[in-house]
Coordinates of all heavy atoms in Angstrom, one line a residue:
Chain A
A4 N -26.4 14.8 -6.2 CA -25.6 15.3 -5.0 C -24.1 15.1 -5.3 O -23.7 14.1 -6.0 CB -26.0 14.5 -3.8
R26 N -1.0 5.0 -5.1 CA -2.1 4.7 -6.0 C -3.3 5.6 -5.9 O -4.2 5.6 -6.7 CB -2.6 3.2 -5.8 CG -3.3 2.9 -4.5 CD -3.3 1.4 -4.3 NE -4.1 0.9 -3.2 CZ -5.4 0.5 -3.3 NH1 -6.1 0.7 -4.4 NH2 -6.1 0.1 -2.2
L27 N -3.3 6.5 -4.8 CA -4.4 7.4 -4.7 C -4.7 8.3 -5.8 O -5.8 8.5 -6.2 CB -4.3 8.2 -3.4 CG -4.9 7.6 -2.1 CD1 -4.9 8.6 -1.0 CD2 -6.3 7.0 -2.4
D70 N 3.8 -9.3 2.1 CA 2.4 -8.9 1.6 C 2.5 -7.6 0.8 O 1.9 -7.5 -0.3 CB 1.6 -8.6 2.9 CG 0.1 -8.4 2.6 OD1 -0.5 -9.2 1.8 OD2 -0.5 -7.5 3.2
R73 N 4.0 -8.5 -2.6 CA 3.0 -9.2 -3.4 C 2.0 -8.3 -4.0 O 1.5 -8.5 -5.1 CB 2.3 -10.4 -2.6 CG 3.2 -11.6 -2.4 CD 2.4 -12.8 -1.8 NE 1.7 -12.4 -0.6 CZ 1.8 -13.1 0.5 NH1 2.5 -14.2 0.6 NH2 1.1 -12.7 1.6
L102 N 3.5 21.2 7.0 CA 3.7 22.5 6.3 C 3.3 22.4 4.9 O 2.6 23.3 4.3 CB 5.2 22.8 6.4 CG 5.6 24.1 5.7 CD1 5.1 25.3 6.5 CD2 7.2 24.2 5.5
V109 N 1.4 18.9 -0.4 CA 1.6 17.7 0.4 C 1.6 16.4 -0.4 O 2.3 15.5 -0.1 CB 0.5 17.6 1.5 CG1 -0.9 17.5 0.9 CG2 0.8 16.5 2.5
S129 N 15.4 11.9 6.4 CA 16.9 12.1 6.5 C 17.4 12.4 5.1 O 16.8 12.0 4.1 CB 17.5 10.8 7.0 OG 16.9 10.4 8.2
L157 N 4.7 22.7 14.8 CA 4.6 21.7 15.8 C 3.2 21.6 16.4 O 2.6 20.6 16.7 CB 5.6 22.0 16.9 CG 7.1 21.8 16.6 CD1 8.0 22.3 17.7 CD2 7.3 20.3 16.3
A159 N 0.4 22.6 14.9 CA -0.5 22.1 13.9 C -0.4 20.6 13.8 O -1.4 19.9 13.6 CB -0.2 22.7 12.5
P176 N -2.6 3.7 7.0 CA -3.5 4.8 6.6 C -4.9 4.5 7.1 O -5.3 3.4 7.2 CB -3.4 4.7 5.1 CG -3.2 3.3 4.8 CD -2.3 2.8 5.9
S182 N -19.0 9.8 8.9 CA -18.5 9.3 10.2 C -18.0 7.9 10.2 O -17.8 7.3 11.3 CB -19.7 9.4 11.2 OG -20.8 8.6 10.7
L184 N -15.1 5.2 9.6 CA -13.6 5.0 9.6 C -13.2 3.7 8.9 O -13.8 2.6 9.3 CB -13.1 5.0 11.1 CG -11.7 4.5 11.3 CD1 -10.6 5.4 10.6 CD2 -11.4 4.4 12.8
A198 N -18.6 5.9 -0.1 CA -18.8 7.3 -0.6 C -19.9 7.3 -1.7 O -20.8 8.1 -1.7 CB -17.5 7.9 -1.1

Side-chain angles (χ1 to χ4, degrees):
Chain A
R26 73 195 187 93
L27 269 189
D70 190 44
R73 283 189 306 233
L102 181 71
V109 64
S129 305
L157 290 173
S182 58
L184 164 63

